[in-house]
Amino acid sequence: MIPRQVRKDKENKMTEPVAHIDNLTIQYPNNVVLNSLSWPIQKGKNYVIGGTSGSGKTTLAKAIAGLIPSNNAVQLNFDNNLPLPAKVVYISNWYQFTNLEGDRNFYYQQRYNHHQGHDTLTVKAELEHYAQKEKLDFSAIEERIAAFGFEDVQSSQLIELSSGEHKKLQLIRGLWAKPQLLIIDEPYTGLDKNSRIVLNKWLDDLVAEGVQLILITNDNHLPHSINSFAHIVNGKLEKVTSQSEFARDEKRQRKELPAFLREFPQTQYDTIAEMNNIHIRYGKKVVLKDVSWKVNVGEKWLLQGPNGSGKSTLLSLINGDHPQAYGHDLSLFGNKRGSGESIWDIKQKIGIISPEMHWYFDQNATVWHTIASGFYDSIGWFIDVKFHEKKQIEELLEFFDLTDVKHQNLNTLPLGKQRLAMLARTIIKNPPLLVLDEPCQGLDNDQAKYFNDVVDELAEYGKTLIYVGHYESQIPSCLEHRIVLEKGEVKAIENILDTVS
């Protein structure tokens, strides 16, 4: 017979919160993010935290995980009877990796220079290192790696991975650890449709083993094990019954585009890009295989394909960043690649935004300087702008409602505003070609609609557009054509209007 006091202690252990947050206050200069927030996280409650951009969701997650000081406002109560590690694992929105010397000083084009990629670990080495550190069995994760479609990248360098592949690596590491409390910030960022399904199944399996979840997302496609919802309003956590009750960002008030963006770009050519039988490989790894594609002036293209299908490499050929562009049958803006034009001649005609560019961007740049750097295609800002350029910057700040934050560093803004600042940078010189590579990654549906409404407006004035997006619900309505890649090959080129009708 179990003594009464022992039974009582076990009952108390069963009923006490997994985490108890009491009067948590976190503030930054001139900004109180969390204001005396209290939240008992009961055992068995698997939460989704949603709501408005910048409300403090990520700050709360980091405080629970012990990544930022909480002044003893967070108490964790792990269950010693569970076979799972008594710890919190926090998976951030973006994956931060280092080179072999522990440095993060990478540059944007470096991922395409294969000989420089060896400055980082391979995926397999990274996972093996993690397994050794956490005392994990590599064979226990191999089936999950295969389900994620991640087995073919084991020999790739970390710097060569696309944003979606980096997200998979983050998730594999974090879920492999099976902590008692698992917090994932934007779990679906950059994942293709099948990978999102695989992730949700894995999360449900972990819950069945005793893992407790907190997901930070406004996505509607959730694991079945999610049973609780909350958002943060005025620095305090409020529980709600469903995602439909989450606080939303204000609806965008449509404004007229600045006059300089209503001017049709001047082009003396009919074709933006034309490539024939392009073949790109790194050693034995084939990235693009016999790809042929033609983009005419004024066309609006959707580029799709699973994670790792070659989309980023294809775009790098067009924007001038890939060193293997030479020696192939590739023409850009009416000129054969390698016929004497410089990379800056090409970039002057292109405005580009991508998750990778956002990663490598100078996060200490102010919003104003971020937009200004678009005139010179720099990752940061180093040159004084002219008077008329300053006027255009101010017009875009007003158009995107960023005037009040123009002197703030880019990395201090909510993700939605950061993406708008990056879009402003992309269009500041009114280029004939816009390349928008997963521009809504990490944004909720309302923020994505705001962003894509602006893209639709820009498209009315003669811009050529190449848009990459996994979510059918988060793409602009102006798109006319689609090209689909799979394992480096073109699987389909079609008219979107025909497929819809």
Side-chain angles (χ1 to χ4, degrees):
M1 179 179 293
I2 301 175
R4 181 181 301 175
Q5 185 60 45
V6 173
R7 286 203 310 270
K8 187 174 181 181
D9 290 342
K10 286 188 175 181
E11 289 171 359
N12 289 338
K13 191 69 178 177
M14 290 287 291
T15 57
E16 70 180 0
V18 172
H20 190 273
I21 303 164
D22 186 29
N23 290 318
L24 175 62
T25 296
I26 295 179
Q27 66 182 68
Y28 301 111
N30 304 318
N31 183 25
V32 177
V33 181
L34 303 178
N35 184 14
S36 299
L37 182 148
S38 296
W39 180 27
I41 307 173
Q42 301 295 342
K43 189 175 181 63
K45 295 291 187 180
N46 297 299
Y47 272 91
V48 164
I49 310 297
T52 58
S53 179
S55 61
K57 303 184 292 292
T58 295
T59 300
L60 174 59
K62 289 182 175 180
I64 296 172
L67 299 176
I68 56 177
S70 63
N71 296 320
N72 298 317
V74 178
Q75 178 183 346
L76 300 173
N77 303 301
F78 295 115
D79 188 347
N80 295 326
N81 295 315
L82 282 176
L84 306 178
K87 66 178 181 179
V88 182
V89 167
Y90 168 73
I91 302 177
S92 65
N93 190 3
W94 286 353
Y95 183 60
Q96 296 287 337
F97 62 94
T98 64
N99 62 16
L100 297 177
E101 296 178 352
D103 189 13
R104 288 196 177 103
N105 188 27
F106 302 109
Y107 59 91
Y108 176 57
Q109 293 87 353
Q110 189 171 346
R111 63 190 296 247
Y112 304 115
N113 293 328
H114 187 59
H115 66 283
Q116 296 192 43
H118 295 284
D119 191 33
T120 61
L121 290 173
T122 64
V123 171
K124 183 70 177 292
E126 174 79 356
L127 291 175
E128 288 176 337
H129 175 73
Y130 184 74
Q132 183 179 22
K133 176 185 173 185
E134 300 294 330
K135 298 180 173 57
L136 298 169
D137 180 6
F138 197 89
S139 63
I141 200 70
E142 290 178 335
E143 187 176 332
R144 298 292 188 180
I145 290 174
F148 248 149
F150 206 60
E151 66 270 47
D152 291 339
V153 299
Q154 298 296 292
S155 61
S156 297
Q157 308 292 316
L158 295 181
I159 200 171
E160 295 171 346
L161 301 185
S162 68
S163 61
E165 290 169 331
H166 272 296
K167 191 66 181 182
K168 288 182 179 181
L169 180 57
Q170 267 188 299
L171 292 166
I172 288 169
R173 283 168 40 116
L175 275 61
W176 188 7
K178 293 185 182 180
Q180 290 194 27
L181 182 56
L182 176 61
I183 306 174
I184 312 180
D185 198 342
E186 298 297 346
Y188 308 102
T189 296
L191 296 184
D192 56 53
K193 182 177 180 180
N194 183 67
S195 297
R196 296 196 296 270
I197 295 171
V198 170
L199 172 60
N200 282 344
K201 173 65 167 61
W202 193 355
L203 291 173
D204 283 335
D205 291 344
L206 289 177
V207 169
E209 294 184 53
V211 173
Q212 189 153 345
L213 298 179
I214 299 176
L215 306 183
I216 299 174
T217 181
N218 284 306
D219 198 283
N220 295 319
H221 303 286
L222 301 170
H224 297 302
S225 51
I226 292 297
N227 54 23
S228 302
F229 304 88
H231 60 178
I232 299 173
V233 178
N234 297 324
K236 298 182 184 298
L237 184 128
E238 296 181 0
K239 298 178 183 178
V240 295
T241 58
S242 70
Q243 287 177 295
S244 63
E245 298 179 47
F246 284 164
R248 302 292 183 187
D249 291 299
E250 292 184 11
K251 295 288 185 182
R252 177 184 178 238
Q253 300 299 314
R254 179 162 180 165
K255 301 179 181 180
E256 186 176 47
L257 279 172
F260 75 93
L261 289 175
R262 285 181 273 123
E263 298 176 4
F264 280 66
Q266 298 300 309
T267 56
Q268 288 76 46
Y269 38 84
D270 298 321
T271 303
I272 293 288
E274 184 172 5
M275 56 187 72
N276 296 293
N277 301 316
I278 299 294
H279 197 87
I280 301 292
R281 66 187 306 149
Y282 301 135
K284 295 181 179 180
K285 181 181 178 181
V286 177
V287 183
L288 295 178
K289 182 180 179 181
D290 298 327
V291 171
S292 297
W293 185 29
K294 184 178 181 180
V295 179
N296 294 315
V297 170
E299 290 182 338
K300 315 295 186 292
W301 281 86
L302 174 62
L303 170 58
Q304 290 186 312
N307 299 131
S309 59
K311 300 185 298 296
S312 295
T313 300
L314 181 63
L315 293 179
S316 70
L317 293 170
I318 293 174
N319 63 38
D321 285 328
H322 205 293
Q324 292 190 45
Y326 300 99
H328 286 87
D329 188 357
L330 171 65
S331 295
L332 298 175
F333 306 103
N335 294 316
K336 177 80 172 178
R337 189 75 171 95
S339 60
E341 82 291 353
S342 72
I343 187 175
W344 303 112
D345 292 330
I346 294 171
K347 288 186 175 296
Q348 186 60 32
K349 301 179 180 70
I350 303 175
I352 184 169
I353 182 174
S354 70
E356 292 82 7
M357 176 170 285
H358 200 161
W359 288 348
Y360 294 117
F361 202 80
D362 181 3
Q363 293 295 302
N364 293 318
T366 66
V367 172
W368 198 95
H369 289 155
T370 295
I371 298 173
S373 71
F375 283 117
Y376 304 100
D377 303 297
S378 60
I379 306 297
W381 181 70
F382 311 99
I383 305 174
D384 288 332
V385 294
K386 305 176 180 64
F387 175 79
H388 76 277
E389 293 172 339
K390 292 180 180 178
K391 184 173 182 295
Q392 289 179 204
I393 294 169
E394 295 297 331
E395 288 176 348
L396 279 182
L397 286 166
E398 175 64 25
F399 179 75
F400 285 115
D401 297 315
L402 295 171
T403 300
D404 60 333
V405 295
K406 67 180 181 179
H407 297 307
Q408 288 185 216
N409 285 1
L410 183 68
N411 63 353
T412 65
L413 300 185
L415 181 59
K417 286 187 178 293
Q418 288 188 44
R419 287 291 161 81
L420 291 177
M422 293 296 288
L423 178 60
R425 176 191 183 276
T426 300
I427 63 179
I428 187 66
K429 60 190 177 187
N430 195 27
L433 173 63
L434 296 179
V435 178
L436 308 182
D437 184 358
E438 296 193 58
C440 296
Q441 193 178 97
L443 305 185
D444 63 30
N445 286 334
D446 291 335
Q447 293 169 324
K449 186 177 187 310
Y450 181 125
F451 189 99
N452 287 326
D453 283 347
V454 175
V455 174
D456 283 330
E457 292 169 31
L458 290 166
E460 296 176 9
Y461 297 95
K463 311 289 189 299
T464 304
L465 175 64
I466 300 175
Y467 192 103
V468 181
H470 289 300
Y471 293 73
E472 298 294 343
S473 61
Q474 290 190 348
I475 60 176
S477 60
C478 64
L479 297 170
E480 307 161 326
H481 311 281
R482 171 168 31 217
I483 177 171
V484 181
L485 294 183
E486 187 174 314
K487 294 183 178 179
E489 297 185 73
V490 176
K491 301 301 292 185
I493 292 181
E494 56 195 9
N495 188 316
I496 291 179
L497 302 178
D498 290 342
T499 59
V500 171
S501 60

